[in-house]
């Protein structure tokens, strides 16, 4: 198996663990409620990944369409839910007609987009008048990680954030939606708390990214990863993510 396949399988396993946590389940349910759509309405889940949210929307009576730029993710989603509509495409060029959907949902997507405003223009194109949009995402610049070395942790978090195309997109959701001409814009704040050792790869990954960027030395990376590994193995790992949920209507 190739290294890329290993990385993809590791990512999917980590996402599966995170998605199964009670807080994540509740947050997804909240996002579906905020779409406020009638049975049978068409909704697109942009950046659908392995497709769990799309399947849950179908279970709620929606005509859900999952879109992801990753062919591998779409292949996994189609394998898991073969009767569901999954399509390859990106947030700037969705495989949908003008006004085709009544709902648009994007979870943990906009921090990967260098041009969030362009993505929202595409969202407006595919949404019918009066359609609903829900954006969910974490603020990459404010990860909260318990560590014996808070200064080093702060350096790691900020360095990893700087490697993300749009690390502070979530805190900008409200203004981005207003600038794009959406109406009745609201934002909620939630906090995801992770203590399961299965989330350790997320922490080791941000340390690896900080070292690759030259923000920390290999020795600092090794020491920090050792500490976080020890915490995970002893049930003392603590990671908290501020998560923002923004919702609005298309005029």
């Amino acid at each position: 198996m190739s290294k890329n396949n290993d990385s993809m399988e590791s990512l999917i396993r980590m996402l599966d663990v995170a998605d199964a946590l009670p807080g994540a389940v509740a947050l997804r349910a909240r996002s579906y409620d905020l779409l406020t759509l009638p049975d049978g309405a068409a909704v697109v889940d942009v950046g659908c990944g392995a497709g769990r949210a799309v399947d849950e929307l179908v279970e709620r009576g929606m005509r859900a369409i999952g879109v992801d730029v990753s062919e591998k993710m779409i292949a996994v989603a189609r394998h898991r839910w073969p009767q569901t509509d999954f399509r390859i495409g990106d947030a700037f060029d969705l495989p949908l007609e003008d006004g085709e959907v009544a709902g648009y949902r994007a979870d943990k997507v906009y921090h990967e987009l260098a041009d969030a405003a362009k993505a929202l223009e595409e969202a407006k194109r595919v949404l019918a008048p009066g359609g609903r949009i829900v954006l969910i995402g974490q603020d990459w610049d404010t990860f909260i990680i318990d560590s014996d070395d808070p200064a080093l942790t702060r350096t790691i978090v900020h360095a990893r954030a700087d490697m993300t195309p749009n690390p502070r997109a979530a805190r900008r959701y409200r203004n981005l939606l207003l600038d794009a001409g959406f109406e009745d814009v609201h934002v909620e704040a939630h906090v995801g708390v992770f203590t399961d050792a299965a989330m350790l790869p997320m922490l080791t990954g941000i340390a690896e990214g900080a070292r690759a960027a030259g923000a920390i030395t290999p020795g600092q990376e090794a020491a920090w990863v050792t500490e976080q590994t020890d915490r995970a193995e002893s049930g003392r790992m603590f990671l908290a993510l501020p998560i923002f949920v923004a919702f609005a209507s298309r005029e």
Side-chain angles (χ1 to χ4, degrees):
M1 183 177 291
S2 70
K3 183 176 181 181
N4 285 340
N5 284 337
D6 284 344
S7 298
M8 179 62 70
E9 289 196 0
S10 176
L11 173 61
I12 291 172
R13 284 195 299 271
M14 185 174 66
L15 290 174
D16 283 344
V17 170
D19 284 347
L21 294 173
V25 173
L27 185 60
R28 287 199 305 279
R30 176 61 178 159
S31 74
Y32 308 151
D33 291 341
L34 290 171
L35 287 169
T36 61
L37 299 176
D39 287 350
V43 56
V44 61
D45 190 49
V46 179
C48 66
R52 184 187 300 267
V54 182
D55 179 67
E56 291 174 344
L57 285 164
V58 169
E59 289 180 350
R60 283 181 167 234
M62 302 295 103
R63 184 166 63 83
I65 302 163
V67 177
D68 201 285
V69 71
S70 168
E71 294 183 14
K72 292 179 180 178
M73 280 293 191
I74 290 294
V76 171
R78 287 171 175 166
H79 175 74
R80 290 182 173 183
W81 294 286
Q83 304 305 316
T84 305
D85 188 353
F86 293 104
R87 308 177 188 180
I88 298 170
D90 66 49
F92 303 125
D93 187 18
L94 295 170
L96 298 166
E97 300 296 327
D98 293 358
E100 183 176 344
V101 296
Y104 173 109
R105 179 182 182 276
D107 187 353
K108 297 183 290 293
V109 173
Y110 273 59
H111 66 265
E112 294 288 355
L113 307 179
D115 192 344
K118 181 180 178 182
L120 286 178
E121 285 301 313
E122 179 68 353
K124 287 186 70 176
R125 181 186 72 79
V126 303
L127 274 171
R132 295 283 290 172
I133 183 170
V134 177
L135 305 177
I136 309 103
Q138 68 267 30
D139 191 302
W140 280 73
D141 220 14
T142 51
F143 278 29
I144 302 165
I145 303 168
D146 193 17
S147 170
D148 295 335
D149 192 337
L152 177 59
T153 302
R154 190 179 305 114
T155 298
I156 289 171
V157 169
H158 292 322
R160 181 61 184 85
D162 288 343
M163 296 175 66
T164 305
N166 203 342
R168 291 165 288 278
R171 70 178 71 173
R172 299 184 59 227
Y173 282 163
R174 181 176 185 274
N175 287 333
L176 285 166
L177 288 164
L178 289 170
D179 289 344
F182 284 89
E183 299 178 342
D184 195 24
V185 180
H186 300 276
V187 180
E188 295 179 351
H190 302 257
V191 178
V193 176
F194 305 94
T195 58
D196 193 299
M199 297 300 290
L200 180 63
M202 175 179 283
L203 297 184
T204 59
I206 67 171
E208 180 182 1
R211 188 261 307 151
I216 62 174
T217 67
Q220 288 175 313
E221 177 193 8
W224 195 82
V225 166
T226 296
E227 183 207 344
Q228 293 303 320
T229 301
D230 290 344
R231 285 174 172 269
E233 291 175 349
S234 62
R236 296 302 183 95
M237 190 185 83
F238 183 89
L239 164 67
L241 307 178
I243 300 171
F244 297 100
V245 181
F247 47 102
S249 299
R250 188 193 189 285
E251 75 282 0

